[in-house]
Amino acid sequence: MKILVTGFEPFHKEIINPSSMILTKLPSTIKKHEIICCTLPVELSCLNMIKDHINKIEPDVVLSLGQAAGRSAISVERIGINLDDFSIEDNKGNKIEDTKIMIDGPDAYFSNLPVKKMVEFIRNKGIPVYVSNSAGTYICNHILYGVRHILKQKGKQQKSGFIHVPMLPEQAIHHSNMPSMSLEMMVEGVIAAIEAIISEEESV
Ligand code: PCA
């Protein structure tokens, strides 16, 4: 299998984003499956960029990662909704509100990755994790919803989903009472999640 893993550039006053730092620490293969990484901009064009990657690479799985400030554990997202409602500007200075991502799209798409199994595999490594039922209404939800839509339109059985990670300690020290997790633990968690996806695919 080819597994495309994406992260995001830093945004909103942060100078780093753990989601793209994780990519630099992932191996090029996991259980003989190819891992291809790419970093996306925090703006609406991220969807066109990932679409180009999907068309070029034709991955079997797209796993996107993003930072969720304030969350204390890794969260595996279950659902993306058809809504852009930004509480902060994106990196292009846009603050879109109350707008559908896809005008003719369904209200929501579920991730078709094995969300519960990913949580179980991550937890078995001793890493705090939970299933999240909201990826928000900013760029991460945009990519979660948008990639499901793109793959659905391609009509193939490709899988996609999203994982949010907390801030890193070096970010949290600049905030008051901000939960954080080490990069090492996040990387281990993401590898465990990918192993869960592979295990599920191989069992089918
Ligand atoms: N987190 C943001 C967008 C980019 C990122 O890493 C979000 O949760 O929407």
Side-chain angles (χ1 to χ4, degrees):
M1 281 201 298
K2 277 189 207 168
I3 303 169
L4 174 63
V5 188
T6 71
F8 279 107
E9 288 174 351
F11 67 104
H12 190 56
K13 298 178 191 160
E14 297 298 321
I15 52 169
I16 53 174
N17 187 329
S19 67
S20 53
M21 292 174 71
I22 291 167
L23 303 182
T24 68
K25 306 276 182 196
L26 291 179
S28 57
T29 58
I30 295 179
K31 297 202 184 298
K32 302 211 173 89
H33 298 277
E34 193 183 350
I35 307 297
I36 303 148
C37 297
C38 89
T39 296
L40 302 170
V42 182
E43 54 184 75
L44 295 181
S45 66
C46 63
L47 207 49
N48 284 331
M49 189 180 273
I50 202 169
K51 192 176 183 178
D52 288 346
H53 283 294
I54 289 169
N55 288 335
K56 199 164 71 189
I57 298 164
E58 291 289 346
D60 302 283
V61 173
V62 183
L63 176 63
S64 298
L65 312 174
Q67 161 197 303
R71 291 193 186 177
S72 56
I74 292 180
S75 39
V76 182
E77 299 294 347
R78 196 199 306 257
I79 191 165
I81 61 172
N82 190 6
L83 177 68
D84 284 331
D85 193 30
F86 300 177
S87 58
I88 52 171
E89 291 179 353
D90 69 10
N91 283 353
K92 264 255 169 81
N94 294 314
K95 188 164 174 288
I96 296 163
E97 292 183 17
D98 304 319
T99 305
K100 282 192 173 203
I101 299 171
M102 297 292 167
I103 197 83
D104 295 326
D107 288 341
Y109 283 113
F110 285 106
S111 164
N112 59 351
L113 294 179
V115 166
K116 292 266 173 81
K117 192 171 194 167
M118 290 157 76
V119 164
E120 185 193 316
F121 272 52
I122 298 169
R123 189 170 288 139
N124 284 344
K125 297 278 180 190
I127 300 168
V129 59
Y130 65 101
V131 175
S132 163
N133 293 311
S134 174
T137 54
Y138 189 49
I139 298 291
C140 289
N141 174 70
H142 189 88
I143 210 86
L144 168 55
Y145 181 92
V147 171
R148 285 299 324 122
H149 191 76
I150 290 166
L151 294 181
K152 204 125 201 188
Q153 288 200 319
K154 280 174 80 79
K156 297 199 179 156
Q157 297 303 310
Q158 291 150 304
K159 305 274 164 75
S160 69
F162 199 95
I163 292 179
H164 264 122
V165 295
M167 279 193 161
L168 291 164
E170 55 265 51
Q171 295 176 285
I173 52 167
H174 301 294
H175 299 265
S176 166
N177 198 16
M178 175 65 76
S180 66
M181 184 181 275
S182 71
L183 183 60
E184 209 176 28
M185 192 173 266
M186 291 182 191
V187 171
E188 202 185 344
V190 170
I191 291 173
I194 294 170
E195 286 173 352
I197 296 165
I198 292 169
S199 150
E200 182 70 12
E201 288 299 300
E202 287 179 345
S203 72
V204 180

